[in-house]
């Protein structure tokens, strides 16, 4: 649906043009409706004829209300709605839209806002092949050593590396080694 409608969205069509012809150096040279996208323009790519910023779908105007309604389902309150939105969908002013779209007046959402945030248990999506996703964590110390544990989510195959320091450099080195040996997750 997004693929189809995005071609009718005048603002988003201009983004396709920017990607094809190159973005201007300054947002001043952009049409006004494209300016809000400028600060993230380096992350915007075309995937299957849709626009994405990182792994978030840019939603054509025609679907925005619908998405807001969907995000509002379950009445999790404004903050939670925003954080769910941030993982999946984007359009300029989405945060303001979330605030204004009935949520402020919504009794159910208001009661959520008063109670402390509950951590929701949710499962990771089931991977379809090896190295689709790896999970990593640091264990230890055990006799002064730490262990970087990397687990392939598909096979549960673990790779454990003994490390002496838990610094970013050390973790990056270990991940480099992992990727060069087993491939890119
Ligand atoms: Zn609500």
């Amino acid at each position: 649906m997004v693929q189809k409608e995005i071609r009718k969205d005048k603002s988003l069509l201009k983004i396709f043009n920017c990607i094809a012809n190159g973005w201007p150096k300054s947002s001043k040279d952009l049409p006004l409706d494209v300016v809000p996208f400028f600060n993230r323009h380096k992350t915007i790519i075309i995937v299957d004829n849709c626009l994405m910023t990182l792994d978030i779908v840019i939603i054509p105007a025609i679907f925005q209300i619908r998405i807001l309604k969907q995000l509002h389902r379950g009445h999790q309150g404004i903050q939670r709605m925003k954080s769910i939105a941030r993982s999946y969908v984007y359009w300029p002013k989405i945060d303001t839209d979330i605030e204004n779209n009935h949520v402020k007046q919504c009794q159910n959402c208001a009661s959520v806002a008063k109670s402390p945030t509950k951590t929701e248990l949710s499962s990771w999506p089931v991977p379809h092949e090896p190295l689709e996703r790896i999970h990593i964590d640091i264990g230890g110390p055990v006799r002064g050593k730490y262990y970087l544990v990397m687990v392939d989510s598909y096979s549960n195959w673990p790779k454990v590396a003994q490390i002496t320091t838990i610094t970013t450099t050390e973790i990056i080195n270990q991940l480099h080694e992992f990727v060069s040996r087993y491939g890119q997750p």
Side-chain angles (χ1 to χ4, degrees), residues 42-55:
K42 283 180 185 157
T43 68
I44 299 180
I45 51 166
I46 301 170
V47 178
D48 291 339
N49 293 316
C50 296
L51 290 172
M52 301 193 70
T53 159
L54 299 173
D55 49 0

Side-chain angles (χ1 to χ4, degrees), residues 73-175:
R73 259 184 221 166
H75 300 283
Q76 308 194 64
I78 291 180
Q79 292 315 322
R80 178 86 181 121
M81 250 178 94
K82 281 185 186 169
S83 89
I84 296 172
R86 249 171 242 140
S87 316
Y88 298 104
V89 287
Y90 172 81
W91 63 84
K93 297 214 175 109
I94 182 171
D95 278 4
T96 327
D97 285 351
I98 288 175
E99 285 163 20
N100 296 336
N101 198 263
H102 312 304
V103 182
K104 250 183 196 162
Q105 289 82 24
C106 176
Q107 291 283 333
N108 291 328
C109 281
S111 60
V112 170
K114 278 175 210 146
S115 59
T117 325
K118 290 183 195 111
T119 311
E120 277 208 20
L121 287 176
S122 62
S123 307
W124 285 96
V126 177
H128 301 94
E129 55 183 339
L131 278 187
E132 188 173 312
R133 183 179 68 240
I134 63 166
H135 296 262
I136 70 173
D137 204 354
I138 297 164
V142 178
R143 291 183 200 138
K145 304 275 185 199
Y146 290 89
Y147 295 88
L148 179 65
V149 182
M150 296 162 271
V151 178
D152 171 46
S153 183
Y154 177 78
S155 60
N156 288 329
W157 176 74
K159 162 95 166 69
V160 182
Q162 195 183 64
I163 50 179
T164 41
T165 56
I166 41 173
T167 58
T168 313
T169 317
E170 180 68 54
I171 306 298
I172 291 173
N173 285 343
Q174 291 297 337
L175 287 173

Side-chain angles (χ1 to χ4, degrees), residues 13-59:
L13 271 185
K14 292 175 196 165
I15 295 183
F16 281 97
N17 286 335
C18 287
I19 292 173
N21 305 317
W23 288 80
K25 286 218 170 79
S26 154
S27 62
K28 285 176 200 147
D29 302 321
L30 280 172
L32 273 182
D33 53 344
V34 183
V35 171
F37 293 93
F38 188 75
N39 58 3
R40 55 172 73 218
H41 75 273
K42 283 180 185 157
T43 68
I44 299 180
I45 51 166
I46 301 170
V47 178
D48 291 339
N49 293 316
C50 296
L51 290 172
M52 301 193 70
T53 159
L54 299 173
D55 49 0
I56 298 162
V57 187
I58 297 177
I59 301 295

